[in-house]
């Protein structure tokens, strides 16, 4: 018997695209690396002299691309980067070259020590187990290993507790084999400048740092995230660890005008525009009503791209500078906007609705979605066409 058709043709060679990626994508994300670098400079201008203002680029640079962000900032002179995981740290090391320090905030998982050394990543040691394992590794290597020690000053999230830190400091061999560069802690409420926790945590950090320096005289201190950098010089110590501010979100929302420049611009492609000829409903669950004559535009983006479903019936876009409300539920790959107020000349298939931009900031969208700018940025999807505006030139 013969097979009626061939089921195993040779694997086809990659078929070359005949269209531009931008034309195939449902949405275009533009990352303004010049604004990002400017934000870093704004923070540096507010930092006390000698404070090393680094950059937190965890979660793929808050969703905007850790490698591009890292290269832009390293090019501008940023010397210290903070990532959450070793894989991201190693990728960043390839992107920024051998110069900058790279710290891995979530510490060394058991068995990964050799990779930390190979990629020259500084682990943040946050538990007695981390310290013990890194000491044991140092002793087998017979070298003094660089590291950062993290203590908890009131957040109860990650870091040695006061008693754990005291026990290690009381033990003359507690850090045997280590050459810690930094003692760090993290602020719980730096986004709220008048919160009493800010000073409480500072008051706990200062004596711990003195004690640490009695053992390691050249160890540096680090306490401030973006909000902490704005609290003032007292909180800044030697290393600043801003993240969100670099990406344009307000580090202390609602407390002053946002000093940061927008970095992320997102626009979604209009697939269809309809003039409703029969009154009815929009989208899943028929959760919005439309009357005759309303004009709707559906774009090629949805919650699978990070446009949170909680924005159903409450989010806004901008079309030709005019605000257009989300109508009905956000679908996986589609969102419908009411564009009745926009002239037909602007509301056309192939056009774009602005989702994030100068008049629709990450913080505006977050407020509407009932979340924070961090979640909006880190939820940004992987399907967008991404454009990077160069840092210089
Ligand atoms: C995320 C993080 C930062 C940066 O915080 P932002 O609020 O984004 O500036 C700094 N330090 C640690 C330990 C973090 O986890």
């Amino acid at each position: 018997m013969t097979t009626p058709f061939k089921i195993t043709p040779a694997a086809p060679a990659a078929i070359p695209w005949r269209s531009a990626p931008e034309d195939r994508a449902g949405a275009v994300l533009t990352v303004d690396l010049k604004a990002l670098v400017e934000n870093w400079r704004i923070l540096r201008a507010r930092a006390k002299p000698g404070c090393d203002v680094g950059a937190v680029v965890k979660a793929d640079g808050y969703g905007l691309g850790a490698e591009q962000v890292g290269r832009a900032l390293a090019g501008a002179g940023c010397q210290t980067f903070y990532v959450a995981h070793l894989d991201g740290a190693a990728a960043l090391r390839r992107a920024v070259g051998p110069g900058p320090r790279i710290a891995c905030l979530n510490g060394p998982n058991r068995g990964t020590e050799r990779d930390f050394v190979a990629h020259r990543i500084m682990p943040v040691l946050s538990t007695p187990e981390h310290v013990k394992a890194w000491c044991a590794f140092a002793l087998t290597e017979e070298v003094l290993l660089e590291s950062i020690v993290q203590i908890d000053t009131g957040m109860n999230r990650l870091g040695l507790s006061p008693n754990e830190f005291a026990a290690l400091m009381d033990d003359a061999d507690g850090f045997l084999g280590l050459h810690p560069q930094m003692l760090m802690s993290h602020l719980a409420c730096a986004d709220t400048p008048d919160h009493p926790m800010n000073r409480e945590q500072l008051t706990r950090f200062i004596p711990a740092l003195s004690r640490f320096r009695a053992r390691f005289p050249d160890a540096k201190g680090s306490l401030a995230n973006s909000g902490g950098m704005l609290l003032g010089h007292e909180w800044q110590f030697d290393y600043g660890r801003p993240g969100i501010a670099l990406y344009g979100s307000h580090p202390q929302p609602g407390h002053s005008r946002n000093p940061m420049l927008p970095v992320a611009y997102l626009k979604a492609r209009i697939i269809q525009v309809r003039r409703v000829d029969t009154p009815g409903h929009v989208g899943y669950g028929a959760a919005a009503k439309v009357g005759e004559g309303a004009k709707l535009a559906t774009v090629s983006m949805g919650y699978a791209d990070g446009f949170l479903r909680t924005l159903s019936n409450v989010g806004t876009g901008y079309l030709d500078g005019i605000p257009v409300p989300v109508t009905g539920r956000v679908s996986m790959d589609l969102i419908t906007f009411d564009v009745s107020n926009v002239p037909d000349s602007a509301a056309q298939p192939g056009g774009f609705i602005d989702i994030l931009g100068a008049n629709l900031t990450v913080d505006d969208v977050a407020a509407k979605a009932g979340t924070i700018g961090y979640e909006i940025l880190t939820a940004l999807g992987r399907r967008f066409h991404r454009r990077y505006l160069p840092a210089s030139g």
Side-chain angles (χ1 to χ4, degrees):
M1 235 179 83
T2 53
T3 314
F5 50 84
K6 272 195 183 162
I7 54 171
T8 54
I15 299 168
W17 291 108
R18 283 137 174 109
S19 55
E22 182 156 353
D23 292 340
R24 299 194 296 273
V28 178
L29 176 68
T30 302
V31 179
D32 185 348
L33 295 174
K34 193 176 231 167
L36 171 98
V37 165
E38 188 53 32
N39 286 339
W40 179 72
R41 294 202 171 111
I42 289 170
L43 294 173
R44 231 179 26 163
R46 292 190 175 214
K48 68 176 186 186
C51 177
D52 172 294
V53 178
V56 179
V57 296
K58 63 195 182 189
D60 195 23
Y62 288 48
L64 299 183
E67 292 164 34
Q68 289 86 347
V69 163
R71 268 195 294 268
L73 290 173
C78 180
Q79 294 175 355
T80 311
F81 293 94
Y82 304 84
V83 245
H85 302 287
L86 179 56
D87 282 31
L92 185 69
R93 173 60 75 207
R94 284 191 292 279
V96 301
R101 283 173 214 93
I102 302 179
C104 179
L105 292 169
N106 286 14
N109 292 349
R110 199 187 293 261
T112 59
E113 292 87 354
R114 277 175 207 291
D115 290 322
F116 271 83
V117 173
H119 296 277
R120 294 196 31 255
I121 310 302
M122 258 194 273
V124 176
L125 308 175
S126 296
T127 67
E129 295 74 29
H130 281 162
V131 174
K132 214 171 158 187
W134 198 247
C135 287
F137 178 61
L139 296 179
T140 65
E141 300 295 297
E142 295 184 24
V143 289
L144 282 177
L145 287 178
E146 292 191 348
S147 62
I148 297 170
V149 174
Q150 177 166 219
I151 57 169
D152 189 276
T153 50
M155 195 174 182
N156 281 302
R157 184 181 69 165
L158 189 61
L160 298 166
S161 73
N163 289 349
E164 287 168 343
F165 179 64
L168 280 163
M169 294 305 298
D170 288 341
D171 178 354
D173 291 342
F175 293 99
L176 195 64
L178 305 194
H179 181 67
Q181 309 291 297
M182 189 193 302
L183 184 74
M184 69 171 254
S185 190
H186 192 52
L187 295 167
C189 305
D191 58 343
T192 311
D194 42 11
H195 200 293
M197 272 291 277
N198 293 321
R199 189 154 291 280
E200 283 171 32
Q201 289 193 265
L202 180 65
T203 307
R204 292 186 193 120
F205 187 68
I206 290 171
L209 182 59
S210 302
R211 191 158 186 215
F212 199 64
R213 278 188 179 144
R215 171 91 56 94
F216 305 107
D218 55 354
K220 309 288 194 227
S222 179
L223 181 61
N225 62 344
S226 299
M229 293 304 290
L230 300 192
L231 289 176
H233 289 185
E234 258 184 301
W235 276 265
Q236 290 171 356
F237 295 89
D238 307 295
Y239 284 95
R241 306 187 312 269
I244 195 71
L246 299 171
Y247 307 99
S249 193
H250 194 338
Q252 296 174 332
H255 288 273
S256 55
R257 201 182 60 80
N258 186 5
M260 316 319 300
L261 307 173
V263 172
Y265 296 81
L266 179 61
K267 57 181 190 173
R269 183 187 306 278
I270 299 172
I271 311 176
Q272 186 180 44
V273 178
R274 78 169 57 229
R275 178 73 72 176
V276 174
D277 54 24
T278 314
H281 299 89
V282 185
Y284 284 125
K289 278 190 175 159
V290 275
E292 189 181 335
K295 190 162 56 178
L296 304 177
T298 296
V299 300
S300 187
M301 176 180 170
Y303 61 73
D305 299 297
F307 194 97
L308 301 183
R309 198 167 165 278
T310 48
L311 291 165
S312 297
N313 275 320
V314 299
T316 313
Y318 272 81
L319 179 51
D320 207 28
I322 301 167
V324 290
V326 171
T327 179
R329 288 193 190 154
V330 174
S331 304
M332 183 187 289
D333 306 308
L334 297 168
I335 311 163
T336 301
F337 291 87
D338 187 327
V339 298
S340 303
N341 292 335
V342 181
D344 284 349
S345 57
Q348 288 294 326
F352 287 89
I353 292 185
D354 291 318
I355 303 296
L356 286 177
N359 53 6
L360 192 56
T361 67
V362 171
D363 298 313
D364 297 336
V365 176
K368 287 213 158 139
T371 182
I372 51 178
Y374 301 73
E375 194 178 21
I376 298 298
L377 285 175
T378 57
L380 288 174
R382 313 306 309 170
R383 300 189 290 189
F384 307 139
H385 174 63
R386 290 177 172 231
R387 296 169 55 218
Y388 287 89
L389 304 183
S392 54

